[in-house]
Amino acid sequence: MSATLISPSGAVLHHRARVSTTPADEAEAKAVRIRLEKACRLEENRVYLKQPNIRAFLRAMCHSLGGGVDFLDGAIRGRRSDPWRFTDFSTHPGPGHDGKSTAAGLYRITREIWEEYGARMDLTDFCAETQELIAVEVLRGLGVLGKIQAGDIDATLVMASACWPGLPKTPASQARFAAPDAAYESFLHKYGECGGTINPQAGGGARGQGGPLRPDLPPARP
């Protein structure tokens, strides 16, 4: 029999039973939490995809990188009977023409990027939507979604080039008297053509007009 405990004030202290959990219970709870976090991440990125500036930036990025939904490394846009196309979208297609580079799809996503960033949303295929969601997740990880929403395209290009070196150089990143970069101008043209807006005070010149941020978007957090 357990001894009765008396507090300094004279009150009788009653022992409360503790709720115990087994390692299996804790593991299951953790697995449920991870699944919910991944599902939440997926839905947030789907919302980001609907934001006009983000969609326009992705379209311009695909245009600049020469990507295509079924492109392996080595595929060329417009080439007939291109041998470097794939048809199985159930997984990442793997290496292209040189047998080494695994950059593929709309945004030249490597197998490593697909595995790491797709896992954050529990994605296992390589369909067009998955390619877009992974590109958004990469941009999110770089911390540039807020800049895209604000129309700061130059700063976004500089930061995004850490993952996509093929993106065009901004005027500020080139030599002072360098000739205008045709790839940069082409990127901005495609971005505007797809409905993107630029904040002249944020960067990207005086092309386009800045617009208000959508209040229904989740915060642009990593």
Side-chain angles (χ1 to χ4, degrees), residues 5 16 24 34 63 88-89 93 104 115 117 124 150 158 183 185 202-203 217:
L5 299 179
R16 292 187 178 182
I34 290 174
H63 170 75
D88 182 3
F89 293 89
E115 289 176 346
Y117 289 85
T124 58
V158 171
E185 295 295 331
L217 286 169

Side-chain angles (χ1 to χ4, degrees), residues 18-132:
R18 294 182 179 180
V19 177
S20 60
T21 58
T22 66
D25 292 334
E26 294 175 355
E28 177 62 23
K30 181 179 180 180
V32 170
R33 185 177 71 253
I34 290 174
R35 287 197 297 269
L36 290 174
E37 289 173 351
K38 289 182 177 181
C40 180
R41 193 85 175 181
L42 176 63
E43 290 309 310
E44 286 182 351
N45 286 342
R46 281 177 170 153
V47 173
Y48 283 128
L49 270 176
K50 297 177 182 179
Q51 204 277 336
N53 278 7
I54 293 175
R55 286 201 64 82
F57 188 88
L58 289 175
R59 297 286 82 76
M61 191 164 72
C62 175
H63 170 75
S64 181
L65 296 172
V69 68
D70 60 348
F71 279 24
L72 291 168
D73 186 55
I76 298 176
R77 192 175 293 150
R79 181 165 65 183
R80 299 180 64 182
S81 302
D82 193 330
W84 304 114
R85 304 289 183 96
F86 64 92
T87 56
D88 182 3
F89 293 89
S90 66
T91 187
H92 190 282
H97 76 290
D98 63 358
K100 296 179 181 179
S101 175
T102 60
L106 295 164
Y107 308 105
R108 304 295 192 185
I109 296 169
T110 65
R111 188 174 187 87
E112 292 75 16
I113 291 292
W114 170 75
E115 289 176 346
E116 177 183 351
Y117 289 85
R120 297 182 184 183
M121 297 171 283
D122 211 15
L123 298 174
T124 58
D125 63 17
F126 201 64
C127 68
E129 185 194 27
T130 292
Q131 295 176 34
E132 293 198 322

Side-chain angles (χ1 to χ4, degrees), residues 95-202:
H97 76 290
D98 63 358
K100 296 179 181 179
S101 175
T102 60
L106 295 164
Y107 308 105
R108 304 295 192 185
I109 296 169
T110 65
R111 188 174 187 87
E112 292 75 16
I113 291 292
W114 170 75
E115 289 176 346
E116 177 183 351
Y117 289 85
R120 297 182 184 183
M121 297 171 283
D122 211 15
L123 298 174
T124 58
D125 63 17
F126 201 64
C127 68
E129 185 194 27
T130 292
Q131 295 176 34
E132 293 198 322
L133 288 167
I134 290 177
V136 168
E137 180 65 20
V138 173
L139 292 170
R140 186 173 180 175
L142 293 171
V144 297
L145 289 185
K147 293 184 182 298
I148 298 174
Q149 293 176 50
D152 192 351
I153 302 308
D154 278 16
T156 300
L157 283 172
V158 171
M159 296 175 70
S161 65
C163 184
W164 290 283
L167 289 174
K169 304 294 183 183
T170 64
S173 64
Q174 300 181 67
R176 183 175 180 182
F177 298 106
D181 185 357
Y184 171 76
E185 295 295 331
S186 178
F187 185 98
L188 291 186
H189 176 76
K190 188 68 175 179
Y191 174 76
E193 183 180 77
C194 293
T197 58
I198 293 175
N199 181 350
Q201 296 180 343

